[in-house]
Amino acid sequence: MRPDLHIELGGGAVLRPYTPADADALFGVIDANRVRLARWFHWVDDATDAASQTAYIESRVVDGRSLDGNGIWIGDDLAGGCDLMITGSDDVGELGFWLDEAFVGRGLVTRAAQALMARGYEREGLHRIQLRAGVENLRSRAVAKRLGMREEGVLRGAGKVGGGLYADLVIYGQVVDEWRKTV
């Protein structure tokens, strides 16, 4: 988590790291969208109360390289999250995002992901950014295409989702040279 991350997304929306004070809002939005989100994400099962979200937020503080643990905020309302996980030494980041159903269709995830990709390539020196989405998750797959990412294949049974089930994932990727052609 990067405390210096504060990105204006337009229309009053901001991407910023969660703080422990955001735990109640984070749990509330996850809980209100639990059934829909559990179809795509295993972490929904771990969101049991505000304390579980405080623990999640605090776990992100120790990660000094990743651009994760971020909320998309419109005023005081949490609209969702968007992260760029950077692990290892291979200069690869992985995008992840989710939204409260009430905020779908406003371009928030696309703008947040574009901002994180720019930061990943420009300031973090990433060579590649990838995104994995459920084969049936047409909304997330559309975001990947809007971001200029290339569909690279299907990973069978590679995504653990809510309830301990597994889903096939489509992997999308982009390398820095491709990104440079789009900016």
Side-chain angles (χ1 to χ4, degrees):
M1 180 175 76
R2 300 290 181 80
D4 65 324
L5 184 76
H6 183 96
I7 301 170
E8 299 287 335
L9 301 174
V14 173
L15 179 70
R16 67 162 176 81
Y18 297 117
T19 68
D22 298 324
D24 286 325
L26 180 56
F27 174 72
V29 174
I30 292 170
D31 201 43
N33 290 270
R34 183 172 299 280
V35 172
R36 185 176 59 84
L37 294 174
R39 190 167 171 212
W40 312 119
F41 305 111
H42 68 88
W43 50 258
V44 174
D45 290 343
D46 298 330
T48 55
D49 54 21
S52 69
Q53 297 314 287
T54 299
Y56 161 72
I57 292 165
E58 290 173 349
S59 76
R60 303 319 324 140
V61 173
V62 299
D63 184 350
R65 186 162 190 220
S66 279
L67 300 170
D68 69 326
N70 305 309
I72 301 171
W73 298 84
I74 299 179
D76 292 332
D77 294 325
L78 178 61
C82 189
D83 304 308
L84 181 61
M85 295 288 297
I86 305 169
T87 57
S89 60
D90 54 3
D91 297 326
V92 174
E94 181 149 349
L95 280 170
F97 48 79
W98 62 276
L99 278 177
D100 180 332
E101 182 68 30
F103 293 95
V104 170
R106 299 184 189 186
L108 294 167
V109 161
T110 301
R111 293 193 313 269
Q114 287 169 331
L116 287 178
M117 290 174 76
R119 177 141 174 184
Y121 287 131
E122 293 170 357
R123 291 179 58 182
E124 308 304 325
L126 295 182
H127 172 72
R128 173 186 165 83
I129 296 177
Q130 60 191 31
L131 181 158
R132 294 180 294 167
V135 169
E136 296 176 8
N137 190 340
L138 301 181
R139 287 179 174 167
S140 291
R141 294 181 67 185
V143 170
K145 292 174 185 172
R146 283 194 297 276
L147 295 172
M149 301 180 103
R150 181 182 304 173
E151 184 175 326
E152 297 177 334
V154 175
L155 306 170
R156 295 177 304 117
K160 190 172 185 179
V161 297
L165 302 174
Y166 293 89
D168 294 347
L169 300 177
V170 179
I171 188 162
Y172 294 85
Q174 182 184 70
V175 294
V176 67
D177 293 338
E178 294 167 336
W179 175 76
R180 285 185 183 124
K181 292 176 185 175
T182 68
V183 291

